[in-house]
Amino acid sequence: MKQGLLIILSGPSGVGKGTIRKRIMLDPSLNLIYSVSMTTRKIRPGEEDGKDYFFVSQETFQKNINDNQFLEWAEFVGNRYGTPKAEIQKLRQAGKNVLLEIEINGAKQVISKATGPGLVTIFLMPPSFEALETRIRKRKTESEAIIQERLAKARREMNLHHDYQYLVVNDDVEKTSQQIIDIIKERMSSMQ
Ligand code: 5GP
């Protein structure tokens, strides 16, 4: 059986990675499995443990670092986020395409480690900084101080797309999702 793809969807916080990820997961022909991350962040209303994230304590997260359980992990505005690596190789060997939706420092770690035709790296870019700010503020889930920190970080990250194979501007959920679906389909066919 041919090995599945490892797809990294990254970009600044607030660009809409989560929305796009949920939309492309709806396409069964992509044969996607979402890699659920572990985080020390508090659960937000509407989120589900084990589906959106594995919400864990600092101690549990640290134990996973010590036990070398992460493919990558990063600190993001006061919380830690990591990709558990146990399942990823098994799923890819079973032909599944594994999707990681992660921030930029974590993506950098995976890009430096994983190579080969199965790695697909996509940087999602907002149409403008203003559009990004509007999105982050609309979420209404964080305090002003955290919003400011996320915005400052996003501003620094906007230009870090050079390490990626694809740059996609998120100006419309449907259009952008379709562009990403097309990228994945093309790469699936090149693995055959
Ligand atoms: P949020 O707190 O908004 O859910 O996520 C904050 C940032 O962490 C987002 O950019 C999200 O994509 C990223 N993120 C989620 N899971 C992971 C992960 O496992 N590793 C890394 N490096 N970033 C992650």
Side-chain angles (χ1 to χ4, degrees):
M1 179 182 282
K2 72 181 161 67
Q3 158 143 303
L5 302 167
L6 179 62
I7 305 160
I8 301 179
L9 181 61
S10 193
S13 166
V15 70
K17 297 190 290 291
T19 309
I20 299 290
R21 182 247 302 169
K22 285 180 187 141
R23 169 66 188 82
I24 64 177
M25 292 295 301
L26 296 176
D27 187 333
S29 72
L30 299 177
N31 201 15
L32 286 175
I33 298 275
Y34 174 56
S35 160
V36 179
S37 298
M38 206 176 270
T39 184
T40 60
R41 163 166 83 58
K42 286 205 177 67
I43 190 163
R44 290 180 188 145
E47 286 183 330
E48 223 178 284
D49 191 22
K51 183 164 170 258
D52 296 286
Y53 285 106
F54 296 106
F55 295 93
V56 299
S57 64
Q58 292 286 355
E59 291 71 30
T60 302
F61 199 98
Q62 187 60 46
K63 184 166 187 330
N64 277 274
I65 297 174
N66 297 346
D67 294 346
N68 195 24
Q69 294 296 317
F70 289 124
L71 176 64
E72 61 75 34
W73 69 270
E75 185 133 353
F76 184 88
V77 192
N79 291 299
R80 286 165 155 190
Y81 300 81
T83 303
K85 67 179 169 191
E87 291 297 308
I88 292 179
Q89 216 33 38
K90 263 187 262 167
L91 288 165
R92 289 185 68 197
Q93 269 154 13
K96 297 280 182 198
N97 298 316
V98 179
L99 177 65
L100 310 187
E101 181 230 301
I102 59 178
E103 56 72 63
I104 284 162
N105 287 318
K108 205 172 187 170
Q109 295 168 43
V110 184
I111 291 170
S112 70
K113 271 188 259 185
T115 48
L119 180 68
V120 181
T121 59
I122 304 167
F123 190 94
L124 202 56
M125 184 88 150
S128 65
F129 188 74
E130 290 67 35
L132 190 104
E133 175 158 8
T134 307
R135 263 195 77 92
I136 290 185
R137 290 195 177 282
K138 256 209 310 234
R139 280 209 295 234
K140 293 206 172 83
T141 45
E142 282 103 3
S143 68
E144 182 60 26
I146 295 287
I147 289 175
Q148 288 300 337
E149 236 182 294
R150 285 191 175 228
L151 285 171
K153 195 171 172 66
R155 197 182 275 283
R156 292 193 297 273
E157 291 177 342
M158 293 262 281
N159 295 317
L160 297 178
H161 52 83
H162 305 285
D163 295 338
Y164 295 74
Q165 297 159 347
Y166 304 93
L167 171 63
V168 179
V169 176
N170 184 18
D171 48 5
D172 175 88
V173 173
E174 267 316 300
K175 189 182 113 199
T176 305
S177 303
Q178 196 52 54
Q179 277 176 311
I180 294 178
I181 288 169
D182 291 345
I183 291 170
I184 297 172
K185 284 189 174 159
E186 190 189 312
R187 295 294 296 272
M188 282 167 75
S189 64
S190 74
M191 293 290 278
Q192 274 156 1

